[in-house]
Amino acid sequence: MFKAPHYNWYGRGFKLRAAITVACQLAFVLFGYDQGVFSGIIGNADWLETFGHPAPGLEGIIVSIYNLGCFTGCILSFLFCEKTGRRLAMWIAMVWIIVGAILQTTAYSVPHIMIARFITGIGTGIETSTVPMYQSELCEAKNRGRLVSSEPLFVGVGIVIAYWFDYGMSFTTGPIAWRLPIACQMVFAIIVIIMIFGLPESPRYLYRAGRGEEAIQILCDVYDGTPDDPKIAKENKEVLEALEIEQGNGEYRWSQLLKQDEVQTGRRVLLAYGMQFMNQMGGINLVVYYITSVLQINVGLTRNLSLLLGGVINMMFFFGSLYPTFYLDKTGRRKPMMWGSFGLGLSMMMISILLSFQSNGGSLAKATSSASVAFFFIYMLVFGATVNCIPWVYVPEILPLHVRAKGTAVGISANWIWNFFVVMITPTIINNLQWKAYLIFMCLNFSFIPLVYFCYPETTNLTLEEIDWLFYEGKAVSRSRRVAKSGWGPGEGFARSRQNPAVLEEGSVGSKDKEKVAEKTEHSTMS
């Protein structure tokens, strides 16, 4: 396998960790930019003329085929990521995006633009499947939740940049008004490619590839220490333990993902899938991709005002995302998801009610339609503060070790396939159903509240091993609420494992295995 060259540009310790974080966040800025850039383009006069004024159904396919490409990229990533490594996978993702951006920029026909967007989507799918994993494997445990949850914040940054760029280019005429914003995707991708050459590989991947000495050296570089430092020795031991179990149980196949075992693997994979389903089916992509069209078609605003308000509305996405970036580990996972779903459902309900007066005409219709804009602001603020980031954090942490990679692929694939579905149908429903279209998303958001309450356990401030114990001991949801409130009781969790070492999940390391792994770790460190 081709080995991506590495240059020690960032040194050790904090500078290296900062470079890793910046590269991952820039990758998610690109993710947001890709999602937002088409909203201000699809109504452009030259774009419409170039592609023959596509009907709403065809327009939906042109826009949504990008998400189908993302779904494909997600699957490809987890089929080949263990062979390429994290760095090379990120590099390949950026190359796909650059090729797709070039093809989009030079498109003159509908098949051309559709193929180009599909190719760009493949790169984004690989990127979003790899970057959070890479970030989580190269940061301290105490900062993992905060750093991973910050990545959706930078999706908001990318969306805002795209919208305001589209707005600025709307004052120009001709092909440059839409070709230049699309071409600028390459700027972010090239920056990330350059940064990757100075970033280290994931230690876990190196251990799996039999390159243990390189892995230990990277841990030392990241934490600016030596192999004897407690933090480095602990992480080194944990990785070796995980590999010991994987080698003992063999590679898990796709057919085993829904297996109902002692740690409820199948249930947890479905929870991961459902979390990303909720993220997409609340109506967010109706706003992200089509807010300009919605404000023109449903609210009745001019194109210029629609572009301007679309940029401001999507800024709420960014401002809302600041809250979980700093406070997610204090607020928990369940409550923000439930309150967020309630807020999103209420916003959709009010938008529908206010727009329903438009058919009556007159000053009342104008006033209520304008008032509906305020609830688009509220919707984006609430989404950014709640439902935006939690699925990206929850999916990898809810899954047991032995299916974490493949289970994450399933979860993220839900994000893209339902993203594709919503983006494809939106032009048709907002044209045909008008205000009634928003009632669909209202009902979905309200239905998510009991789903989260009864089915999703609280995982905040629990280690991944403690989450395993929640499912092993049964009644995971009620137990997690009690643990979050008053901690583990006597004879629960690790206290129970100390009383009876045989009580362990499939993906954990038994007492005898730990002794073997400890001997291996000590031997490798001495050598």
Side-chain angles (χ1 to χ4, degrees), residues 420-475:
F420 164 76
F421 175 76
V422 172
V423 175
M424 183 180 66
I425 68 170
T426 293
T428 301
I429 64 174
I430 65 175
N431 277 276
N432 296 336
L433 298 180
Q434 299 288 324
W435 61 269
K436 298 183 185 76
Y438 302 92
L439 295 176
I440 299 171
F441 298 108
M442 177 200 75
C443 294
L444 284 167
N445 279 301
F446 284 150
S447 69
F448 296 154
I449 300 172
L451 179 64
V452 173
Y453 183 84
F454 290 109
C455 299
Y456 282 81
E458 181 59 74
T459 58
T460 303
N461 297 322
L462 296 179
T463 67
L464 299 179
E465 292 74 23
E466 287 174 325
I467 295 171
D468 288 338
W469 277 107
L470 285 178
F471 286 93
Y472 183 89
E473 295 181 335
K475 298 181 179 179

Side-chain angles (χ1 to χ4, degrees), residues 1 74-85 89 92 205:
M1 178 56 66
C74 172
I75 301 303
L76 289 175
S77 173
F78 283 96
L79 288 175
F80 300 106
C81 188
E82 290 299 335
K83 296 179 181 179
T84 63
I92 291 171
Y205 167 75

Side-chain angles (χ1 to χ4, degrees), residues 337-404:
M337 280 296 294
M338 289 187 287
W339 281 109
S341 296
F342 176 79
L344 299 180
L346 184 64
S347 297
M348 285 293 182
M349 181 181 73
M350 293 305 300
I351 290 169
S352 181
I353 291 172
L354 291 168
L355 290 179
S356 68
F357 288 97
Q358 195 175 45
S359 59
N360 298 329
S363 58
L364 178 61
K366 186 176 181 180
T368 53
S369 295
S370 299
S372 67
V373 176
F375 284 95
F376 281 113
F377 278 86
I378 294 171
Y379 179 94
M380 289 300 278
L381 188 67
V382 171
F383 183 85
T386 56
V387 183
N388 174 36
C389 72
I390 293 172
W392 295 96
V393 178
Y394 198 90
V395 167
E397 69 184 7
I398 197 64
L399 294 164
L401 171 67
H402 56 271
V403 295
R404 189 161 295 143

Side-chain angles (χ1 to χ4, degrees), residues 56 130 163 169 298 437 455 459 476 512:
T130 306
Y163 268 88
M169 295 304 295
N298 295 154
C455 299
T459 58
K512 293 181 180 179

